[in-house]
Amino acid sequence: MANFAIMGFGIVGSGVAEVLRMNGESIARKLGEPLNLKYILDVRDLSATPYAKQAVKDFSVLENDPELDVVVESIGGAKVALEFTRRALLAGKHVVTSNKELVATHGKELLAIAKEKNVNYLFEASVGGGIPVLRPLFQCLAGNQIQEIVGILNGTTNYILTRMVKGGVTFAEALKEAQSKGYAEANPAADVEGLDAGRKICILSDLAWGREVRPEDISIQGISHLDLKDVDIASKAGYRVKLLGRALRLEDGRQAAYVAPHLVPEDCPIAPVDDVFNAIMIRGNAVGDVMFYGRGAGDLPTASAVMGDVLDALAHRAKRRDLGWSESAPLIRQEQDLPLFWYLRSESAPEGGEKLAEGAYITGPLSVKDARELAEKVNAAALLPVLR
Ligand code: HSE
């Protein structure tokens, strides 16, 4: 029998217990032995739940149990979760997480501890919810040089945009729905202002190129300043507006990463991706473009990815998965020289701009700095990058 524990019994943690309840038999068959949920660590009182027997409040119970193989960290944040993850790894436990904040900000350190202790630190659920994307990136696409990663990385904002545009509900109503469905972060500003997508594009970039990109070093813009007028103009002109995370590696080895709402041409496979769904396109120099699609948030989809990692950690007990990234990447400052195409809404036509609709233009390629200067010059009411 293999034993695991769940730390943090919120949306993801309780989803993991539910997946084991639903699928315990087939999980045991695939594992070759039963998988036992031995502990649930949470500050809440679980005595009136079916999990009263597993409930503990003291982390050292997990840390000191030699029979505990895997710990699932679904606490969230980078405080208690960081301390308990460090201690679990140092105690020789495999750790599986959905915590993108922790992976994006402390992944380098935690992977180094995992390596030293010869255990796995796996985090498939930290990007794209239930979509298998990190493992394909570091395993199935390992024969490629990755050139670009771009996608919808936040389910909450995609859900909000879809409900506002197609359902006619207000921003506040759509956010409330996303919260009630368990999609949003504890502080939904992380979704709405783009930070959650920023953490995810950093993790993808770290894994793709093996060098750390930190969320605080990239440009991040969410959907809070998006005007539905631009969504409407774009849709009449054959574009959809989507919040995208994007990471690129240029031939000289420099990298760029950023998050912003983009105009996406309708014939791009990302354009019709709605609701809580995420879609991530990866371009490799051998495979070309591949796209990963599925539910990017929610209890059971995220728990699906966590459970896959629990089984993978147990399958790799003897020879750990060697993931990791080292020194920080030489980043292009977008303001300087990453050339993009831009949508501008302005009364007067910008020089070189191609008319999209009355009072709306597309221009480029221009760096962010040049695009901002141009927008100021023509007194533009909106400036958004266009995916090309
Ligand atoms: N709040 C996140 C989202 C949860 O909406 O995508 C999944 O990471």
Side-chain angles (χ1 to χ4, degrees), residues 246 248 258 262 334 338-342 363-368 385-386:
R246 191 165 177 219
L248 302 103
Y258 68 95
H262 284 66
Q334 258 196 80
L338 181 66
L340 300 173
F341 282 83
W342 298 90
T363 187
L366 288 175
S367 69
V368 177
V386 180

Side-chain angles (χ1 to χ4, degrees), residues 3 62 101 124 132 145-146 154 178 223 322 325 381 383:
N3 291 306
L62 280 59
E101 179 176 354
E124 181 65 64
Q145 286 182 41
I146 305 300
N154 182 268
I223 62 165
D322 197 13
W325 45 86
L383 176 71

Side-chain angles (χ1 to χ4, degrees), residues 100 125-126 129 153-157 183-185 191 196 200 278 296-297:
K100 50 264 158 139
S126 67
L153 297 170
N154 182 268
T156 300
T157 45
Y183 300 158
E185 295 302 296
D191 298 295
D196 181 75
K200 292 166 178 168
N278 285 189

Side-chain angles (χ1 to χ4, degrees), residues 93-375:
K93 315 292 178 206
H94 306 282
V95 177
V96 168
T97 190
S98 56
N99 185 340
K100 50 264 158 139
E101 179 176 354
L102 191 61
V103 177
T105 54
H106 290 87
K108 192 169 81 166
E109 175 205 334
L110 296 169
L111 283 162
I113 300 175
K115 187 170 187 174
E116 186 196 314
K117 302 306 288 185
N118 196 28
V119 289
N120 293 285
Y121 181 52
L122 300 177
F123 39 88
E124 181 65 64
S126 67
V127 177
I131 307 171
V133 60
L134 300 186
R135 193 166 277 93
L137 176 60
F138 70 71
Q139 193 173 323
C140 315
L141 299 176
N144 288 260
Q145 286 182 41
I146 305 300
Q147 295 164 324
E148 180 171 346
I149 302 173
V150 62
I152 297 170
L153 297 170
N154 182 268
T156 300
T157 45
N158 206 37
Y159 181 85
I160 291 173
L161 286 176
T162 307
R163 292 290 292 139
M164 287 174 75
V165 174
K166 293 195 169 165
V169 306
T170 64
F171 181 92
E173 284 165 349
L175 174 57
K176 223 167 160 191
E177 286 177 14
Q179 285 174 306
S180 73
K181 286 172 183 281
Y183 300 158
E185 295 302 296
N187 176 3
D191 298 295
V192 171
E193 302 301 342
L195 182 55
D196 181 75
R199 290 169 178 151
K200 292 166 178 168
I201 197 67
C202 286
I203 296 170
L204 285 162
S205 179
D206 294 337
L207 273 179
W209 295 299
R211 303 179 106 177
E212 185 181 46
V213 176
R214 297 179 64 86
E216 61 265 32
D217 292 332
I218 68 170
S219 160
I220 294 178
Q221 195 190 328
I223 62 165
S224 58
H225 297 294
L226 192 63
D227 192 328
L228 281 189
K229 202 183 284 177
D230 298 304
V231 176
D232 191 44
I233 294 172
S235 94
K236 287 185 179 124
Y239 292 87
R240 302 287 304 274
V241 176
K242 294 286 174 193
L243 181 67
L244 300 183
R246 191 165 177 219
L248 302 103
R249 186 166 206 251
L250 304 191
E251 275 172 17
D252 63 9
R254 285 184 307 159
Q255 291 176 219
Y258 68 95
V259 175
H262 284 66
L263 263 68
V264 180
E266 260 168 11
D267 60 359
C268 171
I270 292 176
V273 173
D274 278 341
D275 291 307
V276 73
F277 287 87
N278 285 189
I280 302 135
M281 285 182 69
I282 300 181
R283 180 169 300 157
N285 68 344
V287 72
D289 286 338
V290 284
M291 186 167 107
F292 301 88
Y293 168 84
R295 289 179 192 277
D299 53 357
L300 295 183
T302 310
S304 157
V306 169
M307 191 53 87
D309 271 354
V310 169
L311 299 189
D312 200 40
L314 290 166
H316 289 83
R317 268 182 276 206
K319 184 164 181 349
R320 60 179 288 280
R321 287 226 177 257
D322 197 13
L323 303 179
W325 45 86
S326 54
E327 76 275 26
S328 32
L331 278 177
I332 288 181
R333 296 279 158 209
Q334 258 196 80
E335 284 70 12
Q336 288 158 20
D337 50 8
L338 181 66
L340 300 173
F341 282 83
W342 298 90
Y343 160 89
L344 278 109
R345 175 159 51 87
S346 63
E347 294 296 323
S348 47
E351 204 181 313
E354 177 193 315
K355 190 168 170 181
L356 191 68
E358 206 46 53
Y361 303 87
I362 288 193
T363 187
L366 288 175
S367 69
V368 177
K369 184 168 169 283
D370 291 345
R372 283 190 187 141
E373 277 174 17
L374 182 64

